[in-house]
Amino acid sequence: EQSSVMQSQQQELDGLRMELADRQVTARRLAEESDALRASEAKESSLASERGEELQLCKDAVEKMKLKNKEQLAWVSSQEEELQKCRDVINQLKSEGSEQSSVMQ
């Protein structure tokens, strides 16, 4: 009877050892998966950071272009004002020339 109890306990012990081995394998696999996930998250975070930096560079470039466009528009506007002054002077000279021509006749 004692031998059957010992045999039963030995079988139970063997079963527990097998279960422990299975759980250790599962724990290692889960640890590996966890490490892989952490590495993947770190990579994604790095890529997101790079994309954020690229986006900021693009935004900065757009702002520079807007500023340059404003400067160019201001220059064009000043040139248009100068052109209008020249036209006014030409018209005034034409007008004075017409008056002198009519006075001389």
Side-chain angles (χ1 to χ4, degrees):
E1 188 182 308
Q2 206 173 17
S3 114
S4 76
V5 169
M6 284 183 67
Q7 190 176 10
S8 172
Q9 288 177 339
Q10 186 63 43
Q11 287 174 345
E12 188 177 341
L13 183 59
D14 290 344
L16 290 172
R17 283 185 181 142
M18 286 176 53
E19 188 177 335
L20 176 61
D22 286 346
R23 287 187 181 192
Q24 287 173 332
V25 168
T26 301
R28 277 194 294 271
R29 191 194 63 190
L30 289 173
E32 289 170 359
E33 289 176 8
S34 177
D35 289 345
L37 280 173
R38 275 194 219 102
S40 177
E41 288 172 354
K43 185 176 180 180
E44 286 180 23
S45 176
S46 175
L47 288 173
S49 177
E50 287 176 22
R51 284 188 212 116
E53 290 169 7
E54 289 172 359
L55 179 60
Q56 188 58 49
L57 289 174
C58 289
K59 286 180 179 179
D60 292 347
V62 167
E63 288 304 313
K64 283 183 182 179
M65 292 301 288
K66 284 181 180 177
L67 182 60
K68 191 170 186 174
N69 284 346
K70 277 185 182 179
E71 291 169 357
Q72 289 174 342
L73 285 173
W75 182 82
V76 167
S77 179
S78 72
Q79 295 302 305
E80 287 174 343
E81 289 173 9
E82 288 298 316
L83 180 59
Q84 189 57 48
K85 287 178 186 176
C86 290
R87 286 181 180 145
D88 292 346
V89 167
I90 289 169
N91 288 336
Q92 185 179 355
L93 290 174
K94 282 182 182 177
S95 173
E96 289 174 4
S98 293
E99 288 175 12
Q100 285 181 356
S101 174
S102 66
V103 166
M104 291 177 77
Q105 289 176 356

